Amino acid sequence: MRITLLPQRKEIDLPGRRRVADVLRHLGMLPGTVMVIRDDELVTEQDFLEPEDSVEIRSVISGGA
Amino acid sequence: MKCTRCREHAEVHLRQHNSAFCRRCYVTFFQRQVERAIHKERMFTVEEEVLVAVSGGKDSLALWDVLVTLGYRTTGLHLALGIGDYSLVSTQKTEQFAQTRDLTLISVPLAQEGPGLAISTVAASTNRKPCAACGTVKRHVFDRVAAERGFGVVATGHNLDDEAARLLGNVLHWQTDHLAKQSPVLQPTHEKFARKVKPLFRVSEYETAVYAFIRGIDYIVDECPNSVGATQLTYKDVLNRLEAAMPGSKLTFVQEFLRAGRPAFATAEARQPPETCQRCGMPSYGAVCSFCRLVAEVERKRQPLRRTGSA
């Protein structure tokens, strides 16, 4: 699966079918600190991501301004 | 996962509320959370016009969207901070948001204020950290515009994570005067101050981001370049680790402080009402307010450059 991280603007490829919770754990991200978006829809931690998916993982934490 | 309300497919799971929501029900949930906060804390009524501080980020634009949807009368106030491309994009997103919804927006470019108060200029001209200077300038301009235009209420997009992080910092350093004042509603202590309210104080950054996403709000995703390494981010990380282990911790921390903790500090830290600044006429806890002291510092640092240039 192709993962785009925002705001870092970094792309990562992960093999296989994975639960969203596992992907976040693999990337060292805490639940509730990012939105996971696939085809303009949000996916929850319990959902599965398929090998052919392109997803955006967008941080929700802001530091100011 | 099914929506707790309507049993349709859920896109959002909120562990702290033990609930899941489809898109439509989530919007209803979020708007009700904000409306409940406004009513319970008596922030403002539909008769009052609210000045909404909007930065172009998800929180302030989501706040403005909710307030307009709930039927409140609003005007947006945007400060172009002058932090390079970050500020240019922030201004563009804010103006686009206002235009597409036919909302009134007041824009203040800080580069044109006084001796030139773009945050990058202030940081270069003084010994202050950019974030500290930014806070001083923003608070002054919010108050000044509200006073000049007759707004009795200023609303900001501070969310639960912001409030919890601020509370953690205040507790770690036992800043009792700050603890006395930390509240989602700050009543004015001077006739030139507006009431300051934080209608999003009960909703997390995640919940606000989800609302903005579902509502199709185009906000700036990039972070302020001056926020790298900010202490607030460290506090937020600590709190998010706690929240992951014990969902609901952030909300309990803030709500119980307001109910059981703050009253003790407020009694101990009653302060004299402010005087009037000799330079700008705004309220001040000294002869000259912190904003004018900062402006004087910028003016002093810039004077030698002007003398050199006029040979």
Side-chain angles (χ1 to χ4, degrees), chain B residues 46-114:
Chain B
V46 289
E47 281 80 38
E48 296 177 271
E49 181 140 13
V50 181
L51 186 63
V52 187
V54 282
S55 64
K58 65 180 189 309
D59 301 298
S60 56
L61 292 184
L63 170 63
W64 204 2
D65 182 87
V66 173
L67 294 184
V68 169
T69 305
L70 292 177
Y72 292 101
R73 295 161 55 213
T74 63
T75 295
L77 170 61
H78 175 72
L79 273 54
L81 300 176
I83 306 174
D85 287 343
Y86 170 76
S87 289
L88 292 174
V89 175
S90 298
T91 298
Q92 180 251 321
K93 302 277 185 197
T94 305
E95 289 177 347
Q96 186 182 338
F97 179 91
Q99 271 163 23
T100 53
R101 291 159 179 79
D102 199 26
L103 299 173
T104 305
L105 176 68
I106 300 167
S107 266
V108 177
L110 291 186
Q112 294 170 25
E113 290 283 298

Side-chain angles (χ1 to χ4, degrees), chain B residues 142-154:
Chain B
F142 291 166
D143 283 325
R144 194 195 75 215
V145 172
E148 284 172 355
R149 309 264 187 140
F151 289 95
V153 185
V154 174

Side-chain angles (χ1 to χ4, degrees), chain A residues 28-47:
Chain A
M29 295 174 176
L30 291 167
T33 65
V34 293
M35 291 189 291
V36 182
I37 303 163
R38 176 179 59 191
D39 297 333
D40 206 37
E41 276 199 1
L42 293 164
V43 289
T44 68
E45 285 175 57
Q46 288 72 24
D47 290 326

Side-chain angles (χ1 to χ4, degrees), chain B residues 164-235:
Chain B
R166 184 178 166 209
L167 179 57
L168 179 61
N170 287 338
V171 169
L172 283 171
H173 296 94
W174 287 116
Q175 297 193 298
T176 53
D177 54 340
H178 291 185
L179 286 164
K181 289 184 295 192
Q182 182 162 355
S183 171
V185 181
L186 282 179
Q187 297 295 345
T189 53
H190 189 283
E191 62 181 6
K192 282 197 175 176
F193 277 154
R195 188 183 330 130
K196 309 275 178 25
V197 298
K198 300 173 184 175
L200 300 184
F201 87 98
R202 294 185 75 241
V203 291
S204 69
E205 268 190 306
Y206 176 76
E207 291 169 74
T208 308
V210 166
Y211 179 83
F213 175 77
I214 289 175
R215 292 286 283 173
I217 295 172
D218 183 19
Y219 61 88
I220 181 165
V221 178
D222 291 321
E223 274 306 299
C224 176
N226 292 327
S227 69
V228 174
T231 309
Q232 281 284 82
L233 291 173
T234 304
Y235 293 154

Side-chain angles (χ1 to χ4, degrees), chain B residues 235-248:
Chain B
Y235 293 154
K236 284 186 177 182
D237 183 55
V238 166
L239 288 162
N240 280 322
R241 289 179 190 282
L242 192 60
E243 184 76 18
M246 295 187 287

Side-chain angles (χ1 to χ4, degrees), chain B residues 233-289:
Chain B
L233 291 173
T234 304
Y235 293 154
K236 284 186 177 182
D237 183 55
V238 166
L239 288 162
N240 280 322
R241 289 179 190 282
L242 192 60
E243 184 76 18
M246 295 187 287
S249 295
K250 286 186 281 194
L251 188 57
T252 301
F253 185 38
V254 170
Q255 285 199 146
E256 289 305 296
F257 164 72
L258 293 172
R259 186 189 66 81
R262 182 173 174 260
F265 294 103
T267 306
E269 292 291 333
R271 255 184 114 165
Q272 291 295 325
E275 306 163 44
T276 301
C277 174
Q278 290 172 1
R279 274 184 63 143
C280 71
M282 290 297 287
S284 171
Y285 284 104
V288 176
C289 73

